[in-house]
Coordinates of all heavy atoms in Angstrom, one line a residue:
V48 N -105.9 -2.4 1.9 CA -105.8 -2.2 0.6 C -104.6 -1.2 0.3 O -104.4 -0.2 0.9 CB -107.0 -1.8 -0.2 CG1 -106.8 -1.6 -1.7 CG2 -108.1 -2.8 0.0
L49 N -103.6 -1.6 -0.5 CA -102.6 -0.7 -1.0 C -103.0 -0.1 -2.4 O -103.5 -0.9 -3.2 CB -101.3 -1.5 -1.0 CG -100.8 -2.4 0.1 CD1 -99.5 -3.2 -0.1 CD2 -100.6 -1.5 1.3
N50 N -102.6 1.1 -2.5 CA -102.7 1.8 -3.8 C -101.4 2.0 -4.4 O -100.7 3.0 -4.2 CB -103.5 3.2 -3.7 CG -103.8 3.7 -4.9 OD1 -103.5 3.3 -6.0 ND2 -104.8 4.8 -4.7
V51 N -101.0 1.0 -5.3 CA -99.7 1.0 -6.0 C -99.8 1.5 -7.4 O -100.5 0.7 -8.3 CB -99.1 -0.3 -6.0 CG1 -97.6 -0.3 -6.6 CG2 -98.9 -0.8 -4.5
S52 N -99.4 2.7 -7.8 CA -99.5 3.2 -9.1 C -101.1 3.2 -9.6 O -101.2 2.8 -10.8 CB -98.6 2.4 -10.2 OG -97.3 2.5 -9.8
V76 N -97.8 -8.3 4.9 CA -97.5 -7.4 3.9 C -98.1 -6.1 4.3 O -99.2 -6.1 4.8 CB -98.1 -7.7 2.5 CG1 -98.0 -6.4 1.5 CG2 -97.4 -8.9 1.9
V77 N -97.3 -4.9 4.2 CA -97.9 -3.6 4.6 C -97.4 -2.6 3.5 O -96.6 -2.9 2.7 CB -97.2 -3.1 5.9 CG1 -97.8 -4.0 7.0 CG2 -95.6 -3.0 5.9
G78 N -97.9 -1.5 3.4 CA -97.5 -0.5 2.5 C -96.6 0.6 3.2 O -96.7 0.8 4.4
R79 N -95.8 1.2 2.3 CA -95.0 2.4 2.8 C -95.0 3.3 1.7 O -95.2 3.1 0.6 CB -93.5 1.8 3.2 CG -92.8 1.5 2.0 CD -91.2 1.5 2.3 NE -90.6 1.1 1.2 CZ -90.2 1.7 0.3 NH1 -90.6 2.9 0.0 NH2 -89.4 1.2 -0.7
P80 N -94.8 4.6 2.0 CA -94.8 5.7 0.9 C -93.7 5.6 0.0 O -92.6 5.1 0.3 CB -94.7 6.9 1.8 CG -95.0 6.7 3.1 CD -94.7 5.2 3.4
D81 N -93.9 5.8 -1.1 CA -93.0 5.7 -2.3 C -93.2 6.8 -3.3 O -94.3 7.1 -3.7 CB -93.2 4.3 -3.0 CG -92.1 4.1 -4.0 OD1 -90.9 3.8 -3.6 OD2 -92.3 4.2 -5.2
D82 N -92.0 7.4 -3.7 CA -92.1 8.6 -4.5 C -92.6 8.3 -5.9 O -93.2 9.1 -6.7 CB -90.7 9.3 -4.6 CG -90.4 10.1 -3.3 OD1 -91.3 10.4 -2.6 OD2 -89.1 10.1 -3.0
M83 N -92.3 7.2 -6.5 CA -92.5 6.6 -7.8 C -93.9 6.2 -7.9 O -94.7 6.5 -8.9 CB -91.5 5.6 -8.2 CG -91.9 5.0 -9.6 SD -91.1 6.2 -10.9 CE -89.4 5.6 -10.8
T84 N -94.4 5.3 -7.0 CA -95.6 4.5 -7.2 C -96.7 5.1 -6.2 O -97.8 4.5 -6.2 CB -95.4 3.1 -7.0 OG1 -95.0 2.8 -5.7 CG2 -94.6 2.5 -8.0
G85 N -96.5 6.0 -5.3 CA -97.4 6.5 -4.3 C -97.4 5.6 -3.1 O -97.2 6.2 -2.0
E86 N -97.3 4.2 -3.2 CA -97.2 3.4 -2.1 C -96.5 2.1 -2.6 O -96.6 1.7 -3.7 CB -98.7 2.9 -1.5 CG -98.7 2.4 -0.2 CD -100.1 2.3 0.4 OE1 -101.1 2.3 -0.2 OE2 -100.2 2.0 1.7
A87 N -95.5 1.6 -1.7 CA -94.8 0.4 -2.1 C -95.2 -0.7 -1.3 O -95.5 -0.5 -0.1 CB -93.3 0.7 -2.0
V88 N -95.1 -1.8 -1.9 CA -95.4 -3.1 -1.2 C -94.2 -3.6 -0.4 O -93.0 -3.7 -0.9 CB -95.8 -4.3 -2.1 CG1 -96.0 -5.7 -1.2 CG2 -97.1 -4.0 -2.9
C89 N -94.2 -3.7 1.0 CA -93.2 -4.0 1.7 C -93.6 -5.4 2.4 O -94.7 -5.7 3.1 CB -92.9 -3.1 2.8 SG -91.5 -3.4 3.8
A90 N -92.9 -6.5 2.2 CA -93.2 -7.9 2.7 C -92.2 -8.3 3.8 O -91.0 -8.0 3.7 CB -93.2 -9.0 1.7
F91 N -92.7 -8.9 4.9 CA -92.0 -9.5 6.0 C -92.2 -10.9 5.9 O -93.3 -11.4 5.9 CB -92.4 -8.9 7.3 CG -92.1 -7.3 7.6 CD1 -92.9 -6.4 7.0 CD2 -90.9 -7.0 8.1 CE1 -92.7 -5.1 7.1 CE2 -90.7 -5.5 8.3 CZ -91.6 -4.6 7.7
P125 N -93.4 -7.1 -4.3 CA -92.9 -6.5 -3.2 C -91.6 -5.7 -3.5 O -90.7 -6.3 -4.0 CB -92.6 -7.4 -2.2 CG -93.4 -8.6 -2.6 CD -93.4 -8.6 -4.0
K126 N -91.6 -4.3 -3.3 CA -90.3 -3.5 -3.5 C -89.4 -3.9 -2.4 O -88.1 -4.0 -2.6 CB -90.7 -2.1 -3.4 CG -89.6 -1.2 -3.9 CD -90.1 0.2 -4.2 CE -89.0 0.9 -5.0 NZ -89.5 2.2 -5.5
D127 N -89.8 -4.1 -1.2 CA -88.9 -4.5 0.0 C -89.4 -5.9 0.4 O -90.6 -6.1 0.7 CB -89.0 -3.5 1.1 CG -88.8 -2.1 0.7 OD1 -87.9 -1.9 -0.2 OD2 -89.4 -1.2 1.4
R129 N -88.2 -8.3 3.8 CA -87.4 -8.5 4.9 C -87.5 -9.9 5.5 O -88.8 -10.3 5.7 CB -87.6 -7.2 6.0 CG -87.3 -6.0 5.5 CD -87.6 -4.9 6.6 NE -87.4 -3.7 6.1 CZ -87.3 -2.6 6.8 NH1 -87.1 -2.6 8.0 NH2 -87.2 -1.4 6.2
R144 N -99.4 -5.6 12.4 CA -99.1 -5.0 11.3 C -98.8 -3.5 11.5 O -98.1 -2.9 10.7 CB -100.2 -5.2 10.3 CG -100.2 -6.6 9.7 CD -101.5 -6.7 8.7 NE -101.3 -8.1 8.1 CZ -101.6 -9.4 8.7 NH1 -102.0 -9.3 9.9 NH2 -101.4 -10.4 8.0
R145 N -99.4 -2.9 12.5 CA -99.1 -1.6 12.9 C -97.6 -1.5 13.1 O -97.0 -0.5 12.6 CB -100.0 -1.1 14.0 CG -99.5 0.3 14.5 CD -100.3 0.6 15.8 NE -100.1 -0.3 16.8 CZ -99.1 -0.3 17.8 NH1 -98.2 0.6 17.6 NH2 -99.0 -1.2 18.7
L146 N -97.0 -2.3 13.8 CA -95.6 -2.2 14.0 C -94.7 -2.3 12.9 O -93.8 -1.8 12.6 CB -95.2 -3.1 15.1 CG -95.8 -3.1 16.4 CD1 -95.4 -4.1 17.5 CD2 -95.7 -1.6 17.1
L147 N -95.2 -3.3 11.9 CA -94.6 -3.6 10.7 C -94.5 -2.3 9.8 O -93.6 -2.1 9.1 CB -95.1 -4.9 10.0 CG -95.0 -6.1 10.6 CD1 -95.7 -7.2 10.0 CD2 -93.4 -6.4 11.0
R148 N -95.7 -1.7 9.8 CA -95.8 -0.5 9.0 C -94.9 0.6 9.5 O -94.2 1.3 8.6 CB -97.4 0.0 9.0 CG -97.8 0.9 7.9 CD -99.2 1.1 7.9 NE -99.9 0.1 7.6 CZ -100.7 -0.6 8.5 NH1 -100.9 -0.3 9.6 NH2 -101.4 -1.8 8.0
E149 N -94.8 0.7 10.8 CA -93.8 1.7 11.4 C -92.4 1.4 11.0 O -91.6 2.2 10.6 CB -93.9 1.7 12.9 CG -95.3 2.4 13.3 CD -95.3 2.5 15.0 OE1 -94.3 2.8 15.5 OE2 -96.3 2.1 15.5
I150 N -92.0 0.1 11.0 CA -90.7 -0.4 10.6 C -90.4 0.0 9.3 O -89.3 0.5 8.9 CB -90.5 -1.9 11.0 CG1 -90.4 -2.1 12.4 CG2 -89.2 -2.4 10.2 CD1 -90.4 -3.5 12.8
A151 N -91.4 -0.3 8.4 CA -91.3 -0.1 6.9 C -91.2 1.4 6.5 O -90.4 1.7 5.6 CB -92.4 -0.7 6.2
T152 N -91.9 2.2 7.2 CA -91.9 3.7 6.9 C -90.8 4.4 7.6 O -90.1 5.3 6.9 CB -93.2 4.3 7.2 OG1 -93.5 4.2 8.6 CG2 -94.4 3.8 6.4
S153 N -90.4 4.1 8.8 CA -89.5 4.9 9.6 C -88.3 4.2 9.9 O -87.4 4.8 10.4 CB -90.1 5.7 10.8 OG -90.5 4.8 11.7
G154 N -88.4 2.9 10.1 CA -87.2 2.1 10.4 C -87.3 1.9 12.0 O -86.4 1.3 12.5
S155 N -88.2 2.5 12.7 CA -88.3 2.4 14.1 C -89.7 2.3 14.6 O -90.6 2.5 13.8 CB -87.6 3.5 14.9 OG -88.4 4.7 14.4
E176 N -83.2 -5.6 6.4 CA -83.7 -5.2 5.1 C -82.9 -5.7 3.9 O -81.7 -5.5 3.8 CB -83.8 -3.8 5.0 CG -84.6 -3.3 3.7 CD -84.8 -1.8 3.7 OE1 -84.4 -1.0 4.7 OE2 -85.3 -1.3 2.8

Side-chain angles (χ1 to χ4, degrees):
V48 177
L49 306 177
N50 190 347
V51 179
S52 297
V76 171
V77 297
R79 69 161 177 79
D81 185 73
D82 292 336
M83 178 82 78
T84 59
E86 199 167 16
V88 177
C89 184
F91 293 85
K126 191 163 196 172
D127 305 326
R129 297 184 189 204
R144 285 176 173 77
R145 173 185 58 82
L146 300 179
L147 294 175
R148 199 170 295 110
E149 287 183 44
I150 291 171
T152 56
S153 69
S155 63
E176 182 177 359

